[in-house]
Amino acid sequence: MSELPVDQVRTLLAVVDEGTFDAAAAALHLTPSAVSQRIKALEQRTGRVLLMRTKPVRPTESGQAVVRFARQLAALQAATQRELGMAGESEPISLSIAVNADSLATWFLPALTRVPQDPPVYFDLHREDESHTATLLREGRVMAAVTSLADPITGCTARLLGSARYLPVASPEFVERHLAAGPLPQRLPEAPVIVFDRRDELQDRYVRAVTSGRSGASRLRHCVPTSEGFRDTIAAGLGWGLVPETDAEPLLRSGALRHFAPGQWVDVPLYWQQWKLDVPALAVVAETIGSAAAEFLRH
């Protein structure tokens, strides 16, 4: 089997990371023509189309395998250079991690502050829904991810971090106006709802549970793509939604929100998936995240 030339593999990674051939050329100090020739040569060698020539470019399924290899190669090279004393003691290490917005807004950032900084570690965080963070890991865009996917992705390990609990809440005025006039299974599917984005299915899953699968959440929905904005929009009375327990509790105590279905909640299991690589910095981060999750998440 033909070997994959390292310069061509790294060029493919640069194109994916930078988004265009021109940007990759600038990052690599090459001409766009040279970048294009390397990619074509790599595609000819593998016999596969590796990139979709969109803006930004995206790797094909075969391209994702090469991107993963390129990123793993870079991580292993950096770790080996440090072990051999070829890298400066203070030279920072970069780790790319995908994490869902609610974890990012609650427990994940405090966890990162616990990561030892000798040598310095800096993070390239990618925010994505927990049901989609695994896609970034599969594509080779990140080295690790907080995900709701329990089954390990090929080439990765998976460990349970714990469960994030979400409470169905709304403002007291909203509850009186939309939910108090009848049984919850009848009223909730018609009530305006707040969702994180168009891929957020958490509220629909809850309504299907409440209605025994008869209905999802209302089509009258506001998309609010930040955790803080999501919570504040619900408190403002524009709709109901599922809010992380830690975010909801202060507003429940103050009366700004009401848990309109006491005794009901949704637990979302979260897993840490990472590459099977002997990268000491990644192992340290994984251990730190696991310890922090044990404190913040339910078990």
Side-chain angles (χ1 to χ4, degrees), residues 8-30:
Q8 295 176 9
V9 168
R10 288 176 172 166
T11 300
L12 178 72
L13 179 60
V15 173
V16 171
D17 283 348
E18 299 297 331
T20 67
F21 282 68
D22 288 346
L28 295 172
H29 305 291
L30 297 171

Side-chain angles (χ1 to χ4, degrees), residues 193-234:
V193 63
I194 312 299
V195 296
F196 190 82
D197 57 27
R198 287 173 175 81
R199 295 193 294 185
D200 179 7
E201 299 178 351
L202 193 60
Q203 281 67 218
D204 291 292
R205 284 167 47 195
Y206 174 69
V207 175
R208 283 193 289 268
V210 168
T211 63
S212 301
R214 295 192 303 273
S215 177
S218 172
R219 295 181 180 179
L220 303 173
R221 53 185 65 194
H222 303 280
C223 293
V224 185
T226 70
S227 295
E228 298 83 358
F230 185 95
R231 176 199 61 210
D232 293 345
T233 302
I234 294 173

Side-chain angles (χ1 to χ4, degrees), residues 44 80 91 96 111 115 158 189-190 199 214 227 229 238 246 258-259 262 278 282:
Q44 290 173 353
T80 302
E91 186 173 335
S96 53
V115 175
E190 303 300 324
R199 295 193 294 185
R214 295 192 303 273
S227 295
L238 290 179
T246 52
R258 182 183 297 178
H259 186 180
D278 185 16
L282 185 57

Side-chain angles (χ1 to χ4, degrees), residues 98-104 106-107 126-138 145-150 153 161-166 196-197 199-203 205 227 242 244 266-273 297:
V99 58
N100 60 307
D102 287 334
S103 292
L104 195 60
T106 52
W107 65 272
H126 298 248
R127 188 186 67 182
E128 184 56 272
D129 183 85
E130 64 272 6
S131 60
H132 297 282
T133 49
T135 300
L136 300 182
L137 192 60
R138 190 178 292 111
V146 175
T147 174
S148 59
L149 183 66
I153 294 170
L161 293 173
S163 293
R165 176 160 293 181
Y166 289 79
F196 190 82
D197 57 27
R199 295 193 294 185
D200 179 7
E201 299 178 351
L202 193 60
Q203 281 67 218
R205 284 167 47 195
S227 295
L242 288 151
V266 175
D267 284 343
V268 178
L270 296 176
Y271 298 83
W272 175 262
Q273 293 214 27
L297 299 179

Side-chain angles (χ1 to χ4, degrees), residues 13 46 55 86 97 104 112 115 131 139 214 260 266 275:
L13 179 60
T46 59
K55 287 189 177 181
M86 298 171 63
I97 303 172
L104 195 60
L112 291 186
V115 175
S131 60
E139 292 177 352
R214 295 192 303 273
F260 58 77
V266 175
W275 293 344

